[in-house]
Amino acid sequence: MTADWLVCANCAGRVSEGRCPVCRAELARLRQERGPWGTLGSPGALIALLLALAAVAFLVTRPA
């Protein structure tokens, strides 16, 4: 789950903006749940990783 579309009941702002202490606490909790590998779960990061691996495979298999 991401905080992009979560709305805080305390300040009525987006949680991702971190306007109040409740928002900031929720952001910290979400980051702790995801852990260090949480960013790889996003589709954009996975596509970038696949493209990088394909580029390396292409360079390795290319004749000299």
Side-chain angles (χ1 to χ4, degrees):
M1 173 182 270
T2 63
D4 294 339
W5 296 104
L6 293 177
V7 177
C8 178
N10 191 39
C11 68
R14 287 187 178 174
V15 172
S16 60
E17 294 173 0
R19 292 182 186 176
C20 69
V22 175
C23 294
R24 290 187 288 274
E26 184 63 22
L27 277 174
R29 187 188 67 78
L30 287 171
R31 287 184 186 129
Q32 186 177 18
E33 280 182 2
R34 282 190 312 200
W37 299 102
T39 56
L40 287 179
S42 69
L46 289 175
I47 290 171
L49 180 64
L50 287 174
L51 287 174
L53 287 174
V56 168
F58 175 73
L59 290 174
V60 169
T61 58
R62 194 173 83 181

